[in-house]
Amino acid sequence: MSLTPPTRRKPRTLALELVEALGDRVRDGRLSPGDKLPTEAAIMGEFNVSRTVVREAISKLQASGLVETRHGIGTFVIGLGDAPGFKLGPEQFNTLRDVIAVLELRIGVETEAAALAAQRRTAANLAAMRQALDTVAQAVNEGRDAVSADFQFHLEIARATQNSHFADMMTTLGSSIIPRARLTQAEGADEPMSDERRQYLRRVNAEHESIYDAIVAGDADAARAAMRTHLANSRERRRRAQQAEPR
């Protein structure tokens, strides 16, 4: 009786399986942007594949925009790759109506993020939030807007949830979600800041401080309420601006 030898999987099939396995680790947060992949030898040992298979898989991950190799240092995660998923492009911030729609999305997500941050934040998380708020306050005092620092504050809250999905979503949205980003671009960065605008930005940052204080206190309900108030106020400010636009 002859025995049929077991079918060996082809290196190409093994490489695709390895791409899927490593990609899953990025998508579920086990590997985050900036993290270094294990060495070739470590991957070979864990998945029982050859060096050729590992290199082909890494090449495919690079082509998809998920990792980059820095020669002499290693291979690092740079994003979620080109897999289809939720994205907001610049064309989805063309009007104030678009900005209001994104604010409604943020109310649903960031209010709970603030509550989780109050329960789970670390000293490092609080320090990062404090630095972002101080940067905003300094910019306003100097007559500059600080859209990037404003966004950084919200991103640090997402990170303080210790749930990578919140931070991933905020990173995907980007700083364009800050409602005044559109107005700042339209007005021009070189124009002097009016007293009215300075007062507006100070009110916004006071709302930020209320969120921060609740997170520092570990009060999830207060943090949730403060974030909802802040984003609802932003939505109403945008609605008033929309009504004032020429028809």
Side-chain angles (χ1 to χ4, degrees):
M1 182 178 65
S2 62
L3 295 176
T4 303
T7 302
R8 292 179 59 85
R9 287 176 294 168
K10 296 180 180 180
R12 181 175 180 80
T13 302
L14 290 171
L16 292 174
E17 291 176 358
L18 183 54
V19 167
E20 183 176 355
L22 294 175
D24 284 344
R25 293 185 182 185
V26 175
R27 286 184 284 273
D28 67 18
R30 284 177 286 170
L31 288 171
S32 301
D35 286 351
K36 185 178 179 180
L37 291 188
T39 63
E40 284 186 354
I43 295 174
M44 290 165 58
E46 179 180 354
F47 292 93
N48 192 27
V49 294
S50 68
R51 190 177 303 275
T52 299
V53 168
V54 173
R55 290 183 174 176
E56 182 177 349
I58 296 298
S59 178
K60 292 181 182 298
L61 291 170
Q62 289 172 333
S64 70
L66 196 144
V67 304
E68 67 175 2
T69 297
R70 303 170 193 169
H71 295 292
I73 302 176
T75 300
F76 295 82
V77 177
I78 59 174
L80 296 176
D82 59 5
F86 176 79
K87 291 183 180 180
L88 284 177
E91 70 281 359
Q92 289 166 288
F93 293 93
N94 284 336
T95 68
L96 284 170
R97 186 184 298 274
D98 296 331
V99 174
I100 290 170
V102 174
L103 277 166
E104 290 174 349
L105 170 66
R106 291 179 62 196
I107 289 171
V109 174
E110 291 191 67
T111 53
E112 194 58 31
L116 291 173
Q119 296 170 326
R120 302 174 180 174
R121 81 289 186 275
T122 64
N125 293 141
L126 293 177
M129 290 179 214
R130 183 70 264 164
Q131 182 177 3
L133 290 181
D134 290 345
T135 300
V136 173
Q138 180 180 353
V140 174
N141 288 337
E142 294 173 356
R144 296 181 290 106
D145 209 329
V147 170
S148 61
D150 188 326
F151 172 71
Q152 191 66 34
F153 173 67
H154 286 271
L155 177 59
E156 295 301 340
I157 291 173
R159 287 174 173 163
T161 66
Q162 315 307 330
N163 179 334
S164 63
H165 297 306
F166 281 97
D168 288 346
M169 183 171 185
M170 291 298 293
T171 301
T172 298
L173 292 172
S175 61
S176 295
I177 64 170
I178 304 303
R180 66 181 185 277
R182 175 180 179 272
L183 302 180
T184 300
Q185 293 167 0
E187 292 168 356
D190 296 331
E191 293 185 13
M193 182 179 290
S194 66
D195 289 339
E196 181 181 2
R197 185 166 183 78
R198 193 189 301 269
Q199 290 303 315
Y200 156 72
L201 293 176
R202 283 176 175 161
R203 286 196 301 273
V204 169
N205 216 32
E207 293 171 6
H208 287 159
E209 292 286 355
S210 295
I211 299 167
Y212 174 76
D213 288 344
I215 293 174
V216 170
D219 189 331
D221 290 338
R224 185 185 288 112
M227 179 65 80
R228 178 172 292 278
T229 295
H230 169 54
L231 294 176
N233 285 348
S234 293
R235 181 180 58 187
E236 291 310 307
R237 285 188 284 262
R238 293 306 106 217
R239 281 179 173 164
R240 289 196 295 270
Q242 182 183 40
Q243 292 169 357
E245 282 189 334
R247 299 294 179 181

